[in-house]
Amino acid sequence: MSVIAVAPAAGSGQRLGAGVPKAFVTIDGVPILVHAVDGLIASGVIDRVLVAVPAGQVEAAQTVLDGRPVEVLVGGADRTASVRRALAALDDVPDGIVVVHDAARPFAPPGLTAAVVETVRAGHGAVVPVLPLADTVKQVDDLGTVQVTVDRSTLRAIQTPQGFDLALLRRAHAVAASAGAAATDDAGLVEALGEPVYTVPGHPSAFKITTAWDRGLAELLVAKGVR
Ligand code: C5P
């Protein structure tokens, strides 16, 4: 069964404040998008890669990804819409496995992608990497007052790459689109169908670059040879 990677990379990068779309912000001189795509390819389990970038950035993305077997398309207004556009480009693919990976997670280990795909192959229709929470978690109201301390032992931080049976992910996005719903990850749309989502251990290196601090951390990790 073929494995297709979809990398949503159409974020504006406003919170990063680098003045260019996040996908083009560099770590160690290489755009985040290129790190992410190279990591997916290095897993050795991906047959095809689709990347969704901001409107007007297709050529720029093709240029930085030069030589890599990647299809670049225009993303949507939010992450869910970007993934949906990539799925629409796969309309002629009857079945398979889809790995959705945030381009904003440039150092997700290739072995994590391989583990996610292997778990989908083993029969789980939706698979997400997770990490336990180290901090105490509290629910806070609009005024900043703590309402309740949440039991963190059952909570997990969710990462990408997330793996799916293609038909299941298609159905999840179709239902979300007709309801006008969006989610911060694709597994959330599968959950909304009432279908199970299985977890595998995540990896600290799969952290998402959102702020300038995250970018600085990524640069340090590269400099130290830890990533
Ligand atoms: O905004 P956030 O950091 O949660 O974005 C997660 C991923 O979704 C990033 O890789 C970003 O480029 C992507 N994204 C997208 N289309 C959007 C917004 C975000 O592909 N409209």
Side-chain angles (χ1 to χ4, degrees):
M1 204 178 259
S2 78
V3 184
I4 301 169
V6 168
S12 66
Q14 236 167 13
R15 287 169 293 178
L16 194 51
V20 292
K22 183 155 63 177
F24 296 95
V25 170
T26 59
I27 307 291
D28 196 27
V30 175
I32 285 174
L33 170 61
V34 177
H35 283 294
V37 166
D38 284 348
L40 287 166
I41 292 171
S43 72
V45 298
I46 304 293
D47 300 304
R48 187 174 166 188
V49 182
L50 273 67
V51 173
V53 300
Q57 301 293 335
V58 171
E59 270 186 34
Q62 283 165 339
T63 301
V64 296
L65 288 164
D66 188 36
R68 295 164 179 85
V70 175
E71 297 151 65
V72 181
L73 51 92
V74 177
D78 58 29
R79 185 188 183 283
T80 302
S82 291
V83 175
R84 189 165 63 235
R85 278 174 177 248
L87 289 177
L90 298 173
D91 261 353
D92 58 336
V93 179
D95 53 29
I97 293 172
V98 185
V99 171
V100 185
H101 180 50
D102 292 333
R105 300 179 188 269
F107 298 148
L112 181 59
T113 301
V116 166
V117 169
E118 191 184 313
T119 309
V120 178
R121 281 196 197 283
H124 296 283
V127 177
V128 298
V130 302
L131 288 180
L133 297 186
D135 292 322
T136 295
V137 179
K138 297 183 193 293
Q139 198 174 317
V140 178
D141 70 12
D142 288 347
L143 300 174
T145 307
V146 169
Q147 300 298 293
V148 65
T149 298
V150 182
D151 174 14
R152 74 177 179 202
S153 68
T154 63
L155 299 179
R156 300 290 181 272
I158 306 301
Q159 303 180 314
T160 75
Q162 300 187 350
F164 303 92
D165 171 71
L166 174 59
L168 176 63
L169 188 63
R170 264 193 190 128
R171 185 155 63 89
H173 271 271
V175 169
S178 57
T184 50
D185 74 345
D186 295 276
L189 304 179
V190 172
E191 289 156 48
L193 294 180
E195 296 289 345
V197 174
Y198 192 67
T199 64
V200 295
H203 194 287
S205 294
F207 72 101
K208 187 166 68 172
I209 295 186
T210 304
T211 64
W213 190 91
D214 301 327
R215 182 187 183 186
L217 176 64
E219 291 282 10
L220 275 175
L221 292 174
V222 173
K224 294 274 180 200
V226 193
R227 46 179 258 200

